[in-house]
Amino acid sequence: MIAIASDHGGFTLKQEIIQHLKSKGIDCIDLGCNSLESTDYPEYAKQVAKKILSKEATKGILICGTGIGISITANKIKGIRCALCHDLFSAKATREHNDANILAMGGRIIGPGLAIEIVNEFLDTEFSNDPRHIRRISQIEEMD
Ligand code: RB5
């Protein structure tokens, strides 16, 4: 199960990504927002994080205008490793190296074509389980 949410700046891209996930038969839960009306991104970051921490979702996707505010917020939550990615290399590397559990993107930064490729890369890439990366993630967790 993938948990997905956005503010108004990411709403249009969120809808495109939900359609894409559905077309691939991937279950997702849409935690809002539900329109282009102005809203505050921190609440959406919290909602997606909650689903991951409760294990109702395996991964999350968060979108705001830039992806910055929503990723900053998500990374304040213990147990969340949210990666802001606008390229394929980062999406793959953050799964392999950081075991990121949330992908953030900016709906005002990238178009749906690239965003969908990034989502695919993020969801299809496994954590490397390399001891170096496990050690570094533990060091991050010590700061939680
Ligand atoms: C909303 O206007 C915008 O500030 C928000 O979507 C995001 O880009 C913040 O980082």
Side-chain angles (χ1 to χ4, degrees), residues 11-76:
F11 174 73
T12 306
L13 182 57
K14 172 171 69 73
Q15 300 311 109
E16 302 253 13
I17 290 171
I18 289 170
Q19 276 313 112
H20 168 69
L21 294 174
K22 281 187 179 159
S23 76
K24 283 187 85 178
I26 298 172
D27 285 336
C28 68
I29 175 166
D30 179 2
L31 298 166
C33 65
N34 300 313
S35 76
L36 291 168
E37 193 181 325
S38 182
T39 185
D40 300 333
Y41 55 79
E43 184 55 32
Y44 300 100
K46 267 200 274 182
Q47 293 303 322
V48 166
K50 254 198 208 167
K51 292 286 178 200
I52 289 170
L53 297 175
S54 69
K55 301 200 187 313
E56 287 167 80
T58 49
K59 295 206 179 66
I61 300 173
L62 285 170
I63 310 166
C64 66
T66 57
I68 297 171
I70 211 157
S71 58
I72 289 174
T73 313
N75 279 318
K76 290 210 167 280

Side-chain angles (χ1 to χ4, degrees), residues 84-139:
L84 175 57
C85 301
H86 290 129
D87 66 274
L88 292 168
F89 181 84
S90 301
K92 186 176 170 65
T94 197
R95 286 290 309 126
E96 287 177 343
H97 293 209
N98 316 120
D99 198 15
N101 45 20
I102 300 182
L103 167 68
M105 293 182 290
R108 295 174 181 154
I109 309 280
I110 47 169
L114 178 56
I116 283 167
E117 293 286 319
I118 289 170
V119 166
N120 289 342
E121 194 74 51
F122 186 83
L123 298 183
D124 292 347
T125 306
E126 294 297 324
F127 177 51
S128 65
N129 266 308
D130 182 316
R132 285 175 306 163
H133 298 313
I134 293 172
R135 184 179 67 240
R136 290 163 192 163
I137 291 168
S138 300
Q139 289 168 3

